[in-house]
């Protein structure tokens, strides 16, 4: 007897041990066989309960994993929400639904309208009846949920005609970062007493749904902005190029493809210097402290563009450059036409002017003139001379701008300066203006320049200095050697130039607005000629002046042309 009952107990414990081992290895699908009602049998039942609850927990975790994967990998809202509502069904609900407020996801024409209602399960469509009520109800329940074991008895929901039968329901508000994204709710045919685990599970699903909706909204807003920017860029009539911080092309509009002759979008993401052949445009697009703001670019098809660029800065960091090109071909053509016109007219004026001057001077020779007649003749000669000066200036400017006849040679700097200063000595003495040249002994003796032009530039500056300096004043011409350039300085103690005039002085035909300056004769071309000459020599110029105290003009020219 003993042996028999012992063997029954041992075999029962043995099989229990085997089943416990199966559980411990994670095999939870196998149900434990029913035992007799003894101690071992009770143990067996306890194991079975443990197995079932463990299995339920694991299934739940698996579903949550699938849900969070769907949320993480899908920016498409429908695909992200589908596994969430399907998981909500597994709590025994007959239907599960998600309702989003109408304005939560922006409608994007490019992506299409976004559904605001999602449902699975039997009669899910009928239960849509409660969506709006629950949307309104849950809005005030941040992080909250509503569990109604017997909804018909609560005043929270109203059951009008056509309301489907509702045994019980659980609803969670979809809140993410304090924004309300809608409601997830599950409907049960029968009254249902909700376990804490079930409610917790639905709440977790709710937070995943809120995250999915927030992500989709973020993505769609970004996508919408991108589409809008692309549309703006595409409809911009001027070529636009945008680069990133690695100097690679980031955005290029259709006009720019056309103008640059690139045609293919494969250039996007490539370094600008690989894609664009115009060096000045490449320099403009590159992020650097010395990047210019404005350059003129010649593009295929004899088209000229004025390119302006600025650096894009976000939170104090430079993240790229944006460049807009303006077609100035027409203006260039007009400018060329204008210069040609001026050159032709001034050239044709020269001979009749010489003739007029000659005859006017000869009048005195062919007969006695009375005082009034002599005065008139003198006025005619002065007038003709001033037109001749203007015509000569215009012709010079035309020639210099056209780049005709730049004859470079190695010039002795001292001779050039002394020659110019000498030629004004008499005029300065008559005006009682002291004119002096300061040339240091250790000067580099030679500079590569066009003698006539360099002399003319200095001539115009000294002429102005003497002209705009009243009696008793001083004019100095100084030469200062620099590392690879020479600086010529013409300084005077004259009437000075008002700050209003200073920016425009080097423009053609600009004359000072000051009363004292207007008293002097002039065409307003002198400084424009100086500027043109200096530019042709690859130099630059500047000015310092104070009204009533004097002016200092600087011109700086490289010792060697092209350096
Ligand atoms: P302009 O024929 O009128 O002298 P410029 O181009 O040589 O033409 O000079 C332009 C204007 O600049 C002058 O009208 C004058 O107002 C001003 N200007 C030039 N040089 C001087 C100077 N040394 N002192 C004062 N004003 C000057």
């Amino acid at each position: 007897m003993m042996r028999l009952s012992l063997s029954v107990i041992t075999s029962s414990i043995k099989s229990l041990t085997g089943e416990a081992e199966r559980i411990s290895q994670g095999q939870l699908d196998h149900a434990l066989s029913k035992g007799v009602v003894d101690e071992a049998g009770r143990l067996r039942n306890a194991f079975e309960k443990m197995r079932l609850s463990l299995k339920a927990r694991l299934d739940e975790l698996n579903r949550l994993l699938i849900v969070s994967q769907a949320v993480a990998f899908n920016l498409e809202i429908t695909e992200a929400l589908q596994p969430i509502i399907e998981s909500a069904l597994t709590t025994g609900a007959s239907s599960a639904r998600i309702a989003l407020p109408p304005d939560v996801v922006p409608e994007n024409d490019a992506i299409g309208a976004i559904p605001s209602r999602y449902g699975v399960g039997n009669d899910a469509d009928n239960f849509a009846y409660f969506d709006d009520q629950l949307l309104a109800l849950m809005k005030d329940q941040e992080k909250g949920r509503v569990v109604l074991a017997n909804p018909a008895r609560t005043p929270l929901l109203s059951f009008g005609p056509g309301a489907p039968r509702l045994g019980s329901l659980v609803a969670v508000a979809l809140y993410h970062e304090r924004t309300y994204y809608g409601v997830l709710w599950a409907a049960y045919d029968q009254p249902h007493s909700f376990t804490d685990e079930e409610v917790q599970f639905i709440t977790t699903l709710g937070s995943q749904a809120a995250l999915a909706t927030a992500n989709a909204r973020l993505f769609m807003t970004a996508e919408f902005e991108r589409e809008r920017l692309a549309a703006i860029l595409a409809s911009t009539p001027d070529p636009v190029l945008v680069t990133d911080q690695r100097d690679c092309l980031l955005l290029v509009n259709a006009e720019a493809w056309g103008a640059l002759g690139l045609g293919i979008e494969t250039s996007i993401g490539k370094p600008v210097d690989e894609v664009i052949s115009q060096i000045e445009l490449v320099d403009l697009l590159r992020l650097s402290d010395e990047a210019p703001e404005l350059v003129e670019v010649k593009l295929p098809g004899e088209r000229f563009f004025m390119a302006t660029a600025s650096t894009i800065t976000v939170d104090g960091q430079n993240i790229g450059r944006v460049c807009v090109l303006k077609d100035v071909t027409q203006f260039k053509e007009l400018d060329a036409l204008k210069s040609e016109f001026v050159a032709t007219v001034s050239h044709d004026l020269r001979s009749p002017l010489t003739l007029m001057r000659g005859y006017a001077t000869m009048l005195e020779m062919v007969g006695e003139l009375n005082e009034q007649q002599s005065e008139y003749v003198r006025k005619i000669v002065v007038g003709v001379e001033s037109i001749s000066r203007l015509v000569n200036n215009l012709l010079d400017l035309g020639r210099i701008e056209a780049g005709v006849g730049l004859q470079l040679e190695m010039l002795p700097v001292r001779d050039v300066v002394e020659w110019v200063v000498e030629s004004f000595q008499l005029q300065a003495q008559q005006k009682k203006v002291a004119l002096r040249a300061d040339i240091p002994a250790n000067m580099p003796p030679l500079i590569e320049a066009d003698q006539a032009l360099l002399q003319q530039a200095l001539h115009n500056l000294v002429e102005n200095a003497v002209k705009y300096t009243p009696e008793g004043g001083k004019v100095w011409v100084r030469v200062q050697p620099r590392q690879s350039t020479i600086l010529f300085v013409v300084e005077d103690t004259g009437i000075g130039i008002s700050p209003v005039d200073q920016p425009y002085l080097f423009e053609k035909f600009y004359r000072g607005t000051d009363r004292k300056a207007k008293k002097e004769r002039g065409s307003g071309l002198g400084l424009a000629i100086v500027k043109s000459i200096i530019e042709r020599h690859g130099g630059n110029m500047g000015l310092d002046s104070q009204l009533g105290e004097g002016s200092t003009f600087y011109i700086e020219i490289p010792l060697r042309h092209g350096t």
Side-chain angles (χ1 to χ4, degrees):
M1 268 295 278
M2 259 285 271
R3 196 180 288 159
L4 193 69
S5 55
L6 251 177
S7 85
V8 169
I9 291 170
T10 357
S11 85
S12 170
I13 287 178
K14 236 191 214 155
S15 96
L16 200 56
T17 317
E19 280 163 357
E21 256 168 24
R22 252 206 307 268
I23 292 174
S24 73
Q25 285 161 7
Q27 298 174 23
L28 297 174
D29 290 331
H30 193 275
L32 268 70
S33 51
K34 288 240 164 3
V36 269
V37 192
D38 56 5
E39 292 303 317
R42 272 202 289 280
L43 202 58
R44 186 180 292 277
N45 288 345
F47 267 126
E48 175 64 358
K49 262 198 201 147
M50 194 171 77
R51 180 191 72 85
L52 284 175
S53 107
L54 249 177
K55 185 166 169 357
R57 196 87 196 105
L58 262 183
D59 286 349
E60 200 176 286
L61 282 176
N62 269 340
R63 274 194 300 272
L64 285 179
L65 194 68
I66 293 168
V67 163
S68 52
Q69 272 176 347
V71 173
F73 295 125
N74 278 309
L75 286 169
E76 223 281 72
I77 189 162
T78 316
E79 278 172 33
L81 292 184
Q82 194 63 24
I84 297 178
I85 22 181
E86 277 167 8
S87 298
L89 265 194
T90 61
T91 55
S94 58
S95 300
R97 297 188 55 81
I98 287 178
L100 311 177
D103 56 344
V104 77
V105 209
E107 208 166 284
N108 188 341
D109 286 347
I111 301 174
I114 307 303
S116 57
R117 302 284 190 266
Y118 304 82
V120 288
N122 304 333
D123 286 342
D125 293 342
N126 285 345
F127 283 113
Y129 180 89
F130 294 107
D131 277 349
D132 289 332
Q133 290 187 50
L134 286 166
L135 264 178
L137 175 71
M138 299 308 290
K139 191 166 177 89
D140 306 324
Q141 319 262 338
E142 187 171 351
K143 287 190 194 139
R145 55 200 171 214
V146 166
V147 180
L148 300 176
N150 199 342
R153 292 230 189 107
T154 80
L156 292 175
L157 293 178
S158 74
F159 292 79
R165 218 179 72 78
L166 190 59
S168 55
L169 80 81
V170 54
V172 282
L174 308 185
Y175 264 97
H176 184 74
E177 291 180 348
R178 318 206 111 238
T179 306
Y180 181 54
Y181 286 103
V183 58
L184 160 71
W185 66 286
Y188 299 78
D189 288 339
Q190 304 299 325
H192 184 92
S193 60
F194 294 93
T195 62
D196 284 352
E197 285 80 14
E198 275 172 346
V199 175
Q200 188 51 48
F201 179 59
I202 295 276
T203 311
T204 313
L205 289 180
S207 55
Q208 291 291 323
L211 185 65
T213 320
N215 283 349
R217 179 160 122 143
L218 210 65
F219 169 68
M220 290 182 68
T221 315
E223 184 67 0
F224 181 64
E225 289 301 322
R226 202 189 61 79
E227 298 273 334
R228 190 152 64 174
L229 188 68
I232 293 172
L233 270 183
S235 52
T236 308
D238 295 326
V240 180
L241 301 143
V242 182
T243 53
D244 61 17
Q245 68 268 48
R246 294 167 298 131
D247 297 329
C248 295
L249 276 185
L250 190 69
L251 276 174
V252 177
N253 71 348
E255 278 300 318
W257 293 119
L260 288 163
L262 296 173
I264 13 155
E265 296 224 356
T266 46
S267 319
I268 290 290
K270 295 239 175 82
V272 278
D273 51 355
E274 278 181 24
V275 182
I276 295 169
S277 44
Q278 292 75 13
I279 300 164
E280 57 281 17
L281 190 56
V282 170
D283 287 342
L284 186 80
L285 283 167
R286 274 198 183 131
L287 255 184
S288 102
D289 291 340
E290 290 117 52
E293 304 257 293
L294 181 86
V295 290
E296 192 183 294
V297 209
K298 187 175 168 199
L299 294 184
E302 285 301 302
R303 289 171 75 192
F304 292 89
F305 284 84
M306 201 47 101
T308 45
S310 50
T311 301
I312 314 165
T313 311
V314 174
D315 292 336
Q317 278 229 301
N318 296 341
I319 57 158
R321 302 265 290 166
V322 55
C323 164
V324 181
L325 291 107
K326 193 111 205 123
D327 193 340
V328 291
T329 318
Q330 260 194 333
F331 296 107
K332 287 243 0 144
E333 282 167 2
L334 254 172
D335 200 43
L337 263 176
K338 201 180 71 192
S339 303
E340 203 182 303
F341 172 76
V342 171
T344 317
V345 171
S346 22
H347 183 263
D348 291 355
L349 275 175
R350 203 140 64 165
S351 345
L353 281 172
T354 323
L355 220 72
M356 280 158 77
R357 191 175 188 276
Y359 282 114
T361 359
M362 271 163 34
L363 269 179
E364 275 180 321
M365 300 175 196
V366 291
E368 186 98 354
L369 297 181
N370 65 29
E371 206 176 306
Q372 199 169 20
Q373 285 168 332
S374 294
E375 172 65 15
Y376 289 169
V377 168
R378 203 185 56 75
K379 282 194 171 151
I380 292 173
V381 174
V382 169
V384 169
E385 271 175 355
S386 102
I387 306 180
S388 298
R389 228 184 359 254
L390 172 67
V391 164
N392 284 336
N393 277 343
L394 279 173
L395 282 173
D396 285 345
L397 194 57
R399 258 203 310 274
I400 299 160
E401 279 185 346
V404 184
L406 186 72
Q407 286 170 350
L408 293 174
E409 51 188 316
M410 297 309 289
L411 303 174
V413 180
R414 182 178 294 273
D415 291 0
V416 174
V417 176
E418 278 175 354
W419 185 85
V420 173
V421 171
E422 262 330 292
S423 67
F424 278 104
Q425 228 28 290
L426 186 67
Q427 203 177 321
Q429 271 166 25
Q430 281 171 353
K431 222 188 154 187
K432 298 197 174 60
V433 169
L435 172 61
R436 225 177 59 209
D438 273 351
I439 306 169
N442 62 345
M443 275 287 303
L446 300 175
I447 183 167
E448 192 182 19
D450 179 310
Q451 179 167 17
L453 293 187
L454 181 58
Q455 267 173 359
Q456 171 147 26
L458 287 169
H459 177 279
N460 289 5
L461 290 182
V462 177
E463 184 184 31
N464 278 348
V466 174
K467 186 159 91 176
Y468 296 109
T469 300
E471 242 185 74
K474 286 181 200 147
V475 173
W476 298 271
V477 182
R478 286 200 299 271
V479 184
Q480 291 171 10
R482 298 260 169 104
Q483 200 174 18
S484 58
T485 59
I486 288 195
L487 186 71
F488 297 89
V489 184
V490 180
E491 189 176 349
D492 64 52
T493 57
I495 58 170
I497 302 159
S498 101
V500 185
D501 290 330
Q502 290 188 15
Y504 311 107
L505 283 194
F506 299 99
E507 283 177 14
K508 286 176 217 168
F509 300 110
Y510 189 87
R511 302 216 58 218
T513 50
D514 190 69
R515 198 173 42 84
K516 284 187 190 152
K518 276 187 173 159
K519 269 200 341 217
E520 300 295 334
R521 283 174 193 282
S523 61
L525 284 172
L527 290 179
I529 292 177
V530 177
K531 179 172 175 239
S532 229
I533 293 175
I534 302 311
E535 278 173 359
R536 294 276 291 128
H537 281 83
N540 44 56
M541 52 192 303
L543 149 75
D544 252 342
S545 183
Q546 284 238 294
L547 209 52
E549 301 204 350
S551 317
T552 311
F553 283 84
Y554 306 90
I555 57 180
E556 190 175 14
I557 300 187
L559 276 171
R560 295 258 164 195
H561 196 71
T563 54

